[in-house]
Amino acid sequence: MTWQEAFRRDARGTEDDAAPDAGYKALMELIDDGFCVIQFIDGPRGPLSDYVHIEANSGYERHTGIDGIVGKTVFDVAPQDGAEWVKIYGEVLRTGEPLRFEREFVEVGRHVEVSATRVEPAAKAQVAVLFRDITERKRKERELRDSQRRAEKNARHIARALSAGAILGTWVWYLDSETFDLDEEFSRSMGLDPAQGAAGLTIDQIVVNVHEDDKPGLMAAIDRATQQTTPYAYQFRVKRADGLYHWVEANGRMEAETPRIFAGVLMDLDDRRAILEERDKAAAELSKLNETLEQRVEEQTAKLMQREGELRQAQKMEAVGQLTGGLAHDFNNLLTAISGSLDFVAKRLEDGRREEILRYLEAAQASTERAASVTQRLLAFSRQQSLMPKPTDVPQLVRSMEDLMRHTIGPHILVRAEGDGEAWPAMVDPNQLESALLNLCINSRDAMPDGGTITISTTNEAIETENSELPPGDYLRLSVHDTGTGMTSEEISKAFDPYFTTKPSEKGTGLGLSMVYGFARQSGGCATIDSELGKGTTVNIFLPRSVETVARAEEDLPVSEEPATGGGHTILVVDDEAIVRFVVVEALEEAGFTVYQAAHAAAGLQVLQDQPEVTLLLTDIGLPGGMTGRELAARAREAREDLRVMFMTGYDEEAATATTLTDTEVLLKPFDFDEMVRRVTSFANRTAA
């Protein structure tokens, strides 16, 4: 009867027993092997994914080094390897088939030989395990295998070396009997007579021809080697029959302790020493050369870095020069028009010719609007414009612009819109997208002076891999294709640069495409160009897909022709620019508002504290004194939760998104003052409601 059968019998007990017979426990304590019973339990990995040790004999600790195992789970003692033990014993529990195997117990650093059997009935979910520590046996087996591999490897190496002439000879020294076994080549290499053989030779006779300077070191090395089992290697000179000293190297080791055997090989070093001497000589010459070479390389590297820096600076200044030159040209023209118009206004007032004033004011206003357009395009290129993105139905936006585009482009060009019925909504500022689309259509028109077709289409694009322009994700692609003259590869590479244009003088500023590119990048997408000379151009704008649905458009309400009025509301205007503050306050007061003003945030907070009747804060974003307009609004809301806030900004891209405040609006500078008053009035009236 096996121990497993005995265990099953004793574990079952009798029908009258309340617990299994304890006889097997005493039996298991008598054996030296480790023994335990494990109970499978449900664990975090699912049903029966863990087990706990419910019984163990004293041999368990002897064979594993773990004490107090009863009550511990497998993951308590084997957190890294526990899942594998559960898998092994779980198979025994599932099939009822006994299992015998050897395995490394990683956590305790031992190898164990294991026998496992299921405790019947299977419903108990128990497995009995008998095991012993076989770590020492495994170590000896491993050492034996390693020794055999080394011996085979050494034999192969020696055979190859002898056939190649690298080994001069071999020796075996039986230390207990003080006898030697030397081959003829060894004797000849040590300057001895091979015909005499090794009978009766002593170690002193064997080394008699070793150079006197090398003999003491050689004998000391031999004494050390024969006292330990580590490898022995020593180089020395020996005189041979030709009367010359030759360099050799002895390699060996103690092969056994009982009887003591010291064996090894003698290797020729003459050729190697000659090579080493040549190498050392070449290394010395190379080192001397490297000393000057490193200096030359450093000097050349310094010159290259200097030239690279000069080139980068030149490129930077060229770009800055191109940008500032274009800006200076545009703004000098605009300032000339504004200044000249104002001069004429002053002269006509002096002459009493008031009827001519209006046209000069209109000219100044038009120049101001052009300056604002240039500024907005530059901000778009530099990705600093204020955007108010929202879920947008782009095909619907294109359809709503068809009439405007046809009137702008002219009757000689056909405009076609091809919308995707399943197009995704895009997260984008619709007003800025309209401006970008109109710019692209105007560019296409200029590329088709003799007429042609502009096709506007939308397509869903799923980008799955990272590229230089877009991270993976879903995008809506808006494409504007024309049948115009096309572009060269060089023109395509510069097309998005500010103030680069292929149009004749006075026909374009070169800001349109740069604005489109900056707007697309700031919106989280990108813009690309596909073109071929004579076959037309396609500009693609990739816009991020919106996870929100597009809100249903409200019906357009009729705009009141009546001028906006303040209706008794009180407003605080905060702006550090005195002239801007002056005209804003003037416009609001004329509209009937009561207006307070401040030049910085601290003064604004004081006004809000002193004037509780203020219901609306109109503040610039960029304020001096260490507190921005957003911070001012947040501080003001802490004290006045009902205070409504409207921001003014000329460049701050975070104006609409960087604040967590609700019920805010943004005015983009420069603005039309009638429009400003209308929006403030509407905002204030909503506050009152």
Side-chain angles (χ1 to χ4, degrees), residues 390-397 423-428 430 476 546-554:
K390 62 181 181 181
T392 302
D393 184 343
V394 176
Q396 176 59 36
L397 181 146
W424 295 324
M427 181 59 70
V428 67
L476 181 75
S546 172
V547 296
E548 304 174 27
T549 57
V550 178
R552 181 175 298 177
E554 298 180 1

Side-chain angles (χ1 to χ4, degrees), residues 8-37:
R8 293 193 193 99
R9 183 198 63 193
D10 291 340
R12 284 195 301 270
T14 65
E15 295 180 358
D16 297 330
D17 290 340
D21 193 322
Y24 78 93
K25 297 182 181 179
L27 175 64
M28 290 306 148
E29 284 297 333
L30 292 176
I31 63 176
D32 181 66
D33 290 350
F35 173 77
C36 67
V37 178

Side-chain angles (χ1 to χ4, degrees), residues 628-688:
T628 67
R630 285 192 297 273
E631 293 168 334
L632 165 62
R635 292 274 298 275
R637 277 281 181 84
E638 290 176 0
R640 300 270 302 277
E641 294 182 359
D642 59 339
L643 182 69
R644 301 295 291 274
V645 177
M646 180 175 283
F647 294 112
M648 298 183 291
T649 180
Y651 70 94
D652 192 336
E653 66 172 319
E654 298 181 347
T657 59
T659 178
T660 59
L661 299 178
T662 58
D663 296 327
T664 63
E665 286 199 9
V666 179
L667 276 173
L668 299 181
K669 296 178 181 178
F671 41 69
D672 179 85
F673 279 85
D674 288 340
E675 175 67 13
M676 182 271 292
V677 171
R678 187 192 66 77
R679 288 191 58 187
V680 170
T681 301
S682 175
F683 197 50
N685 288 334
R686 288 209 304 274
T687 304

Side-chain angles (χ1 to χ4, degrees), residues 326-349:
L327 279 174
H329 176 269
D330 282 354
F331 276 96
N332 281 336
N333 285 340
L334 296 171
L335 290 173
T336 299
I338 294 171
S339 176
S341 297
L342 294 177
D343 284 344
F344 276 110
V345 168
K347 289 178 181 179
R348 295 299 181 265
L349 287 174

Side-chain angles (χ1 to χ4, degrees), residues 430-666:
N431 294 327
Q432 295 298 332
L433 180 58
E434 289 176 353
S435 177
L437 180 57
L438 192 58
N439 263 294
L440 292 178
C441 290
I442 291 173
N443 276 358
S444 294
R445 177 199 66 188
D446 294 343
M448 298 183 292
D450 299 325
T453 302
I454 297 176
T455 304
I456 305 170
S457 61
T458 52
T459 309
N460 295 333
E461 293 281 347
I463 306 297
E464 298 181 354
T465 57
E466 190 85 28
N467 61 40
S468 59
E469 293 286 346
L470 292 172
D474 291 338
Y475 298 87
L476 181 75
R477 184 180 67 184
L478 174 64
S479 301
V480 177
H481 172 74
D482 64 58
T483 57
T485 56
M487 304 169 66
T488 66
S489 57
E490 182 179 0
E491 288 172 344
I492 293 174
S493 67
K494 297 180 179 179
F496 290 133
D497 292 349
Y499 286 102
F500 174 80
T501 179
T502 58
K503 299 175 184 177
S505 179
E506 304 301 328
K507 294 296 184 180
T509 63
L511 286 174
L513 284 178
S514 65
M515 180 275 288
V516 171
Y517 179 80
F519 160 70
R521 294 297 290 167
Q522 189 179 355
S523 299
C526 75
T528 63
I529 297 178
D530 298 317
S531 185
E532 187 176 347
L533 278 177
K535 295 187 178 180
T537 299
T538 301
V539 179
N540 304 296
I541 302 178
F542 291 83
L543 300 170
R545 178 183 181 180
S546 172
V547 296
E548 304 174 27
T549 57
V550 178
R552 181 175 298 177
E554 298 180 1
E555 294 183 3
D556 293 333
L557 299 176
V559 178
S560 174
E561 297 297 330
E562 296 296 324
T565 58
H569 295 294
T570 302
I571 297 177
L572 170 61
V573 176
V574 184
D575 199 303
D576 61 307
E577 186 62 49
I579 296 178
V580 173
R581 196 168 65 249
F582 164 73
V583 292
V584 170
V585 170
E586 192 80 9
L588 292 174
E589 286 181 340
E590 284 191 2
F593 290 99
T594 300
V595 185
Y596 293 94
Q597 57 180 296
H600 51 80
L605 288 175
Q606 187 62 49
V607 172
L608 289 172
Q609 181 178 345
D610 297 340
Q611 308 296 335
E613 68 272 21
V614 173
T615 58
L616 190 149
L617 171 64
L618 178 60
T619 178
D620 190 28
I621 296 291
L623 295 177
M627 188 186 305
T628 67
R630 285 192 297 273
E631 293 168 334
L632 165 62
R635 292 274 298 275
R637 277 281 181 84
E638 290 176 0
R640 300 270 302 277
E641 294 182 359
D642 59 339
L643 182 69
R644 301 295 291 274
V645 177
M646 180 175 283
F647 294 112
M648 298 183 291
T649 180
Y651 70 94
D652 192 336
E653 66 172 319
E654 298 181 347
T657 59
T659 178
T660 59
L661 299 178
T662 58
D663 296 327
T664 63
E665 286 199 9
V666 179

Side-chain angles (χ1 to χ4, degrees), residues 8 91-100 116-118 120:
R8 293 193 193 99
E91 187 67 13
V92 175
L93 177 64
R94 186 182 66 82
T95 63
E97 294 293 329
L99 185 64
R100 185 182 183 90
T117 188
R118 185 172 69 188
E120 301 296 344

Side-chain angles (χ1 to χ4, degrees), residues 81-260:
D81 210 24
E84 286 300 317
W85 288 109
V86 169
K87 181 179 178 181
I88 293 171
Y89 293 139
E91 187 67 13
V92 175
L93 177 64
R94 186 182 66 82
T95 63
E97 294 293 329
L99 185 64
R100 185 182 183 90
F101 61 93
E102 294 179 359
R103 195 170 191 274
E104 184 181 6
F105 198 159
V106 177
E107 279 76 7
V108 297
R110 302 187 185 188
H111 269 84
V112 290
E113 183 182 63
V114 183
S115 296
T117 188
R118 185 172 69 188
V119 177
E120 301 296 344
K124 285 189 173 185
Q126 294 177 359
V127 173
V129 182
L130 187 69
F131 61 92
R132 66 167 55 95
D133 181 7
I134 60 171
T135 304
E136 183 63 20
R137 190 188 82 193
K138 285 289 185 180
R139 184 187 65 80
K140 291 181 179 179
E141 290 175 354
R142 184 171 57 253
E143 289 179 352
L144 178 60
R145 288 194 301 271
D146 291 345
S147 177
Q148 290 173 340
R149 282 196 296 268
R150 284 196 302 271
E152 293 171 358
K153 181 179 178 181
N154 290 339
R156 289 194 300 271
H157 287 176
I158 290 174
R160 293 193 190 102
L162 285 170
S163 63
I167 292 180
L168 298 175
T170 64
W171 85 83
V172 179
W173 182 6
Y174 304 96
L175 282 88
D176 293 335
S177 61
E178 285 294 329
T179 57
F180 294 89
D181 184 2
L182 311 175
D183 60 23
E184 292 185 2
E185 289 302 321
F186 179 90
S187 299
R188 189 174 291 108
S189 298
M190 292 297 293
L192 306 176
D193 183 2
Q196 291 183 354
L201 285 179
T202 65
I203 186 62
D204 291 332
Q205 291 173 315
I206 291 175
V207 301
V208 66
N209 294 316
V210 174
H211 196 287
E212 292 299 323
D213 293 342
D214 300 338
K215 190 178 296 185
L218 173 63
M219 297 306 295
I222 292 174
D223 287 340
R224 288 192 300 271
T226 55
Q227 300 299 321
Q228 54 195 17
T229 58
T230 56
Y232 152 80
Y234 195 81
Q235 297 179 3
F236 56 92
R237 290 164 291 180
V238 62
K239 182 188 280 187
R240 296 181 185 161
D242 58 7
L244 301 176
Y245 282 98
H246 298 266
W247 278 98
V248 296
E249 179 177 284
N251 282 269
R253 67 179 301 161
M254 289 290 293
E255 291 192 349
E257 296 181 359
T258 305
R260 294 187 302 152

